[in-house]
Structures are given as C-alpha cells and as structure tokens.
C-alpha cells in the first residue's frame, strides 16, 4: 500500500529527517542503468499530490518534489 500525501502529513511534520532518492532507488539503479543519488536531508514542505496522482514532498537541497516512494525516514540515532 502506498502512502498518500495526507497520510504522510499526518505522521511527519515539515523538517522531518529523511533519505531521499530523486531519480531511482538503490534497488532499482542497476536494472535501470541510472545512477542512484542519495540525499540525507529534511523535508521543507508538506506533501502534496500531483495532477496524475503521485504524492510528492520537497526536501532541502533539491528543487521540486520527490515521490514519496523515493523518500525514507532517516534512521534515529
């Protein structure tokens, strides 16, 4: 089950530490041939839903939204 923007926002405030993968997730990088970029960052917006239905969130250090399927909560120390 995928997370909706509303579900994400209910659980994770702006400023939540995350690991974000703007292009492909690590497990998909070899199959697609695209390099995997890993950002250790924080959310800078609430999540929202794009016109085609994909939920996304903005993170510090990246312009635009990243699909919630490409965002993981950062491990707690």
């Amino acid at each position: 089950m995928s997370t909706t923007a509303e579900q994400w926002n209910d659980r994770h405030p702006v400023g939540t530490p995350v690991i974000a993968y703007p292009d492909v997730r690590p497990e998909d990088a070899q199959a697609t041939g695209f390099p995997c970029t890993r950002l250790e960052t924080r959310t800078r917006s609430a999540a929202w839903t794009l016109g085609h239905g994909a939920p996304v969130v903005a993170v510090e250090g990246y312009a635009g939204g990243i699909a919630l399927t490409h965002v993981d909560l950062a491990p707690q120390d």
Side-chain angles (χ1 to χ4, degrees), residues 12-61:
H12 310 294
V14 173
T16 296
V18 296
I19 310 256
Y21 306 97
D23 300 312
V24 296
R25 293 189 59 87
E27 59 270 23
D28 299 328
Q30 187 173 4
T32 63
F34 291 107
C36 175
T37 301
R38 182 178 194 263
L39 302 173
E40 294 183 30
T41 185
R42 295 179 178 277
T43 60
R44 63 179 173 90
S45 75
W48 72 95
T49 303
L50 297 176
H52 58 73
V56 299
V57 69
V59 300
E60 294 175 3

